[in-house]
Amino acid sequence: RTGLKIKRVAVGKINFLRDTVDLQIFYDDLEQEEWLQKIPPMVIEDDNDIRELIRYNLVRDGYQVSESLNGEDGLSKATSSPFDLILLDLMLPEISGIEICKKLKSNPGTAGTPIIMVTAKGEEADIVIGLELGADDYITKPFSPKILMARIKAILRRKEISSTFPQWRASSRRP
């Protein structure tokens, strides 16, 4: 993003964990959709139909997609290349999505990569476990592709804001 001219600045206040935080977002010459697509997302899903549905919607929105059919291959790819986001099924052959999430969140190189769990396991306990292990979102199958894409974009926007303004991220934490 170097060399781009800043056009506008949005300033406001938001409530974050019961504290009011000043927020300043800079908009530059890039359209919002363009800066969301720098690093491809990774889809780790063993069901061909679901993986194809997710890939189709990501490609239609201009993303390049990396895919994996099983847990072992997915974990290997996720730790060897950077991804903006990982869409992760829980019930995978070889290594479960829960184990992949634990390993990625405990690895300093991948701990900051957002994970959306996309799974048929929709019980309250499953959702709580997934989120407590570090998933940034949890979507149960069957799902709406439009809602999935909206959630992906929301997570990428938050990731961009926190990487653009690391001082904001650090100053917004409660003691």
Side-chain angles (χ1 to χ4, degrees), residues 1 5 13 21 24 34 36 39 41 54 56 59 61 64 85 99-100 109 118 123 129 139 161-162 166:
R1 294 180 42 151
K5 296 178 183 176
K13 293 188 180 292
V21 178
Q24 197 171 33
E34 290 178 37
L36 290 176
I39 302 173
I54 294 170
Y56 171 80
V59 168
D61 277 11
Q64 293 182 0
L85 170 80
E99 286 302 313
I100 292 171
V118 182
E123 296 295 319
I129 288 169
I139 299 175
I161 289 170
S162 72

Side-chain angles (χ1 to χ4, degrees), residues 31-78:
E31 292 293 322
Q32 178 184 10
E33 299 302 316
E34 290 178 37
W35 60 256
L36 290 176
Q37 299 171 28
K38 295 297 183 193
I39 302 173
M42 164 77 138
V43 179
I44 306 173
E45 170 64 64
D46 62 325
D47 183 299
N48 290 331
D49 293 333
I50 300 220
R51 193 179 58 259
E52 177 61 28
L53 176 66
I54 294 170
R55 187 188 66 72
Y56 171 80
N57 281 280
L58 287 166
V59 168
R60 189 187 70 205
D61 277 11
Y63 295 91
Q64 293 182 0
V65 181
S66 181
E67 301 175 48
S68 183
L69 307 174
N70 63 63
E72 189 172 312
D73 182 58
L75 180 61
S76 175
K77 286 180 180 178

Side-chain angles (χ1 to χ4, degrees), residues 1-7 27-30 38:
R1 294 180 42 151
T2 59
L4 297 174
K5 296 178 183 176
I6 295 173
K7 293 173 110 177
Y27 296 89
D28 55 32
D29 289 331
L30 287 176
K38 295 297 183 193

Side-chain angles (χ1 to χ4, degrees), residues 107-132:
N107 178 338
T110 56
T113 303
I115 296 174
I116 298 177
M117 291 187 172
V118 182
T119 182
K121 295 182 89 172
E123 296 295 319
E124 181 179 301
D126 297 320
I127 296 168
V128 170
I129 288 169
L131 294 171
E132 286 182 349

Side-chain angles (χ1 to χ4, degrees), residues 30 80 89 102 107 122:
L30 287 176
S80 63
D89 185 15
K102 284 181 190 176
N107 178 338

